[in-house]
Amino acid sequence: MSVPLTLLGLLEREPSHGYDLKRDYDSLFSRGKPLPYGQVYATLGRLARDGKVVVGEAEPGDGPDRKRYVITGTGATEFETWLREPVAPEPNLQSVLFTKVVLALLLGRDAEQHLDTQRAAHLRRMRELTELRRSGALVDALLADHGLFHLEADLRWIDLTVARLDALAAEVRG
């Protein structure tokens, strides 16, 4: 996820304080991986340096003075361009899972055991996502569906690879 562009999108909605941006980001996008405050303010600092946001006057608050960030025309243009561009299709043809299988075969290790262990990890994660889909809000359900579809594709690949391990071993050792 592109944190700078996501923050620009949130700022396009309305000028906001860093605290409010973090809260909105976490509630909409983080799903168990909250955005650190340091990252929020470092990102806002870079966006201001690059002319994509401006910092308003400091306003008194409960703690330190708070700054309100406002998106600029440059920031809005960059966000709009990013929003219109399609996301690069995944997956990348260079995956960690594939690399581990090939290295296990090259080194004479049990690649099938590795794939069985990976299958079990995928199935555990699928159970977690299925529960989230059942019990969560619509945003959570849609994100869970996205993850489930990717995990299903991985499981199909794992099964196909197990069926072809002997041929793959011969090719990589070849």
Side-chain angles (χ1 to χ4, degrees):
M1 161 131 356
S2 173
V3 172
L5 290 161
T6 303
L7 293 180
L8 285 175
L10 292 171
L11 286 170
E12 185 172 281
R13 180 186 57 175
E14 64 183 352
S16 299
H17 299 105
Y19 173 85
D20 297 325
L21 290 167
K22 180 199 173 353
R23 182 199 62 222
D24 292 347
Y25 183 99
D26 287 351
S27 71
L28 293 168
F29 307 112
S30 74
R31 299 302 174 252
K33 189 176 178 190
L35 192 61
Y37 281 104
Q39 186 176 358
V40 172
Y41 290 106
T43 301
L44 289 169
R46 285 189 301 276
L47 290 170
R49 177 199 68 206
D50 297 341
K52 297 170 186 170
V53 300
V54 293
V55 183
E57 294 292 320
E59 303 168 5
D62 292 338
D65 287 348
R66 298 173 54 171
K67 299 174 186 170
R68 186 175 303 275
Y69 295 86
V70 180
I71 193 169
T72 64
T74 301
T77 299
E78 181 171 326
F79 172 73
E80 186 63 33
T81 300
W82 174 75
L83 195 59
R84 288 183 185 171
E85 292 174 352
V87 174
E90 297 256 353
N92 187 333
L93 289 180
Q94 181 62 30
S95 79
V96 174
L97 181 55
F98 177 75
T99 301
K100 285 184 171 189
V101 169
V102 169
L103 287 172
L105 292 171
L106 273 173
L107 301 171
R109 304 245 173 86
D110 191 349
E112 187 168 356
Q113 177 59 45
H114 168 69
L115 290 167
D116 288 343
T117 301
Q118 189 65 53
R119 181 185 296 109
H122 272 57
L123 291 170
R124 275 192 305 278
R125 183 62 178 145
M126 289 177 83
R127 284 189 292 276
E128 294 168 359
L129 292 175
T130 299
E131 179 56 32
L132 179 62
R133 184 174 64 188
R134 274 191 225 127
S135 62
L138 180 59
V139 169
D140 294 324
L142 288 170
L143 285 170
D145 282 337
H146 187 265
L148 284 165
F149 295 148
H150 282 272
L151 291 169
E152 287 172 1
D154 283 352
L155 287 174
R156 288 178 57 203
W157 181 85
I158 288 170
D159 290 341
L160 178 67
T161 303
V162 166
R164 295 178 171 175
L165 272 178
D166 290 339
L168 181 59
E171 187 171 319
V172 299
R173 291 180 188 149

